[in-house]
Amino acid sequence: MGVKGIPRAARAYIGCAVLGAGAAVLPALLPGAATPWSTVALLAGLYALCELPARCRLLGRATGGSVPVGTGSFFPVLLAAALLLPPAAAALTALPGSLLARVEEPPAAPRRAWRAAATALAVWAAASTAEALNCARVLGHGPDAPDFPYALLPAGGAALAFCLVLTALDGGIRATADGLPLRAAWHGLLGRALAPHAVHGLAGLMMAVLWRSTYGPVSALFVLLPIHISCWVFAQYHRERAAHQATIRALVQAVDIKDRYTRGHGERVGHASVLIARELGMAEDRLDVVRFAGILHDVGKLGVPTRILRKDGPLTPEERRIIELHPEYGHEIVRGIGFLGEARGAILHHHERMDGSGYPYGLRGDEIPECARMVAVADAFDAMTSTRSYSRARPVPTALAELERCAGSQFDATMVAALIRALDRHGWRPAVTADETPTAGPPAGNLPPPRGTGTPGRAPDPAEDTRSRRRA
């Protein structure tokens, strides 16, 4: 896509940002400006050097392929420039590195121009804020020690100004390029950026103090070592997380291909399970595991013959017993995937019932793992509220009433109550999970008829076919 593929409003917005950046750096270029070119060149070169490995594949491989791809990892260099230089000169230091930084999607030229302009304006705002807060005086110089804790004020102000300007500009480009409403374009940007930029501000202050000390600019380079190490750790974390997500996606796609009549069911069960967990105050570090449990709860279908899953007409007792093995098949499939943790127990036990009449082991009450009890409720709720080729969706209030009716005997009442509270706050959007529209004809097969159909205190088992209900 060329420049013509960028919406006109976005092109105008980028043009205004470039003009603004030009106006910001112009005073440093005028004759008699007394710009400290040696400092500008050192900081600009340092920032460009930090960003270069992400752009250059050869350098990226030389550093183990772990250099972070996105911009922002080395913003402390720019914030140090904002504390050390006049605003126009500080803005200049952002240009080479921003223009060299890697671009993930075309068109590259306008994206680089936008990034350079936005970063230069943010650095200019940070330097102007630091100058207004008498940064040069409190930072000290040579043998004069910095005036702590007062030096934290200009550093914090500079980091905040940098963050505000950058997020405001980013929200604007999202609104003009993607056509988002302004509120949606800016939503969440500032909250996600504040903490990282606060850390960048402290690192920039350390660089600036060392730069102005008797040890000189070379000592400031030592600050980059922990920055690079933190970037490496961060990149490793994201690489590992991406591998986890790829594993989950591959398993989910395999299940969806084999049982196309419940496509998307796993993702919705994962979402509903997380709603329950959040309502119960579960720690954030467990939420991913709960989501994985919901997404993969039916992965054992991969071990069930396709002819049984898609069989038309009633299942034989033998076929029913085979399908009831799917939780154990699922547990065997994921047993070696260490990052799933307690999700493996949920996959094995999500068809257990509170009264002990479930399968595969007939556990009862608190013997059933907590995560499995969450997934059981989420699974039944989605099965009842999703339109499939063989059954129409029930309204959400009807499904919730059914869950309440079966709470205590089939489902954990605490989990049911948590789901009801969560849906009161967040709502629910049921979806069609089959390619066909609902019809009154026979289903193309699924899982065995529920053992407790028509029995008080039992909701439909989401792993079981509903054709027996239609025959009745």
Side-chain angles (χ1 to χ4, degrees), residues 428-449:
W428 184 257
R429 184 179 298 173
V432 175
T433 58
D435 296 332
E436 297 86 348
T437 54
T439 65
N446 200 343
L447 293 179

Side-chain angles (χ1 to χ4, degrees), residues 362-376:
L363 302 184
R364 65 173 62 241
D366 291 340
E367 294 176 347
I368 305 169
E370 181 184 34
C371 192
R373 285 178 270 146
M374 292 178 186
V375 171

Side-chain angles (χ1 to χ4, degrees), residues 285-309:
D285 58 355
R286 293 180 65 196
L287 292 182
D288 269 350
V289 172
V290 171
R291 184 171 64 86
F292 291 154
I295 290 173
L296 295 175
H297 71 284
D298 275 341
V299 71
K301 286 181 179 180
L302 295 175
V304 177
T306 305
R307 63 177 178 80
I308 297 178
L309 287 175

Side-chain angles (χ1 to χ4, degrees), residues 96-458:
S98 299
L99 292 171
L100 281 173
R102 183 171 176 174
V103 174
E104 290 296 315
E105 299 176 7
R111 288 180 184 275
R112 286 200 178 97
W114 157 250
R115 185 163 51 204
T119 309
L121 287 171
V123 176
W124 179 87
S128 298
T129 302
E131 187 177 63
L133 295 172
N134 296 317
C135 180
R137 181 179 60 81
V138 299
L139 202 59
H141 193 283
D144 298 327
D147 193 4
F148 283 112
Y150 299 106
L152 294 174
L153 178 61
L160 180 60
F162 185 89
C163 178
L164 290 174
V165 171
L166 206 55
T167 53
L169 291 171
D170 282 347
I173 198 64
R174 291 179 68 193
T176 55
D178 300 333
L180 296 175
L182 287 177
R183 184 173 180 178
W186 274 298
H187 180 71
L189 285 180
L190 183 60
R192 291 193 297 269
L194 270 175
H197 284 139
V199 175
H200 292 160
L202 287 174
L205 176 60
M206 286 191 290
M207 281 195 70
V209 168
L210 289 171
W211 194 287
R212 296 277 294 267
S213 72
T214 54
Y215 300 104
V218 175
S219 64
L221 298 180
F222 288 103
V223 178
L224 292 178
L225 181 60
I227 293 174
H228 185 82
I229 292 173
S230 66
C231 290
W232 181 84
V233 171
F234 190 67
Q236 293 297 103
Y237 165 77
H238 278 278
R239 188 171 290 109
E240 183 178 353
R241 185 177 176 85
H244 292 174
Q245 298 289 352
T247 301
I248 299 299
R249 280 196 303 271
L251 289 170
V252 170
Q253 287 170 359
V255 174
D256 286 348
I257 289 170
K258 185 156 189 175
D259 187 8
R260 62 182 181 274
Y261 299 102
T262 55
R263 186 170 299 141
H265 171 64
E267 286 85 350
R268 292 192 303 277
V269 172
H271 175 64
S273 300
V274 170
L275 289 179
I276 295 171
R278 281 207 173 103
E279 192 65 33
L280 294 175
M282 181 173 282
E284 286 291 324
D285 58 355
R286 293 180 65 196
L287 292 182
D288 269 350
V289 172
V290 171
R291 184 171 64 86
F292 291 154
I295 290 173
L296 295 175
H297 71 284
D298 275 341
V299 71
K301 286 181 179 180
L302 295 175
V304 177
T306 305
R307 63 177 178 80
I308 297 178
L309 287 175
R310 299 186 181 183
K311 180 181 178 181
D312 293 327
L315 299 172
T316 66
E318 179 62 26
E319 289 169 336
R320 178 189 175 96
R321 282 193 292 272
I322 291 172
I323 284 188
E324 287 184 354
L325 291 172
H326 82 275
E328 294 177 275
Y329 292 156
H331 185 258
E332 286 299 312
I333 289 170
V334 303
R335 186 165 61 176
I337 305 177
F339 70 84
L340 288 178
E342 61 183 307
R344 292 171 291 187
I347 292 168
L348 178 62
H349 296 297
H350 70 280
H351 282 301
E352 305 285 2
R353 303 189 182 202
M354 297 298 287
D355 60 7
S357 64
Y359 61 90
Y361 299 135
L363 302 184
R364 65 173 62 241
D366 291 340
E367 294 176 347
I368 305 169
E370 181 184 34
C371 192
R373 285 178 270 146
M374 292 178 186
V375 171
V377 172
D379 190 15
F381 173 74
D382 183 69
M384 288 188 284
T385 56
S386 297
T387 297
R388 301 181 180 181
S389 60
Y390 50 79
S391 65
R392 290 187 179 276
R394 303 187 193 187
V396 169
T398 302
L400 293 178
E402 185 75 4
L403 290 175
E404 285 187 299
R405 184 177 71 84
C406 300
S409 58
Q410 182 173 345
F411 304 114
D412 187 327
T414 302
M415 306 303 175
V416 173
L419 179 63
I420 293 171
R421 292 196 304 271
L423 294 182
D424 282 343
R425 269 201 289 271
H426 304 290
W428 184 257
R429 184 179 298 173
V432 175
T433 58
D435 296 332
E436 297 86 348
T437 54
T439 65
N446 200 343
L447 293 179
R451 296 182 232 179
T453 302
T455 304
R458 289 185 185 269

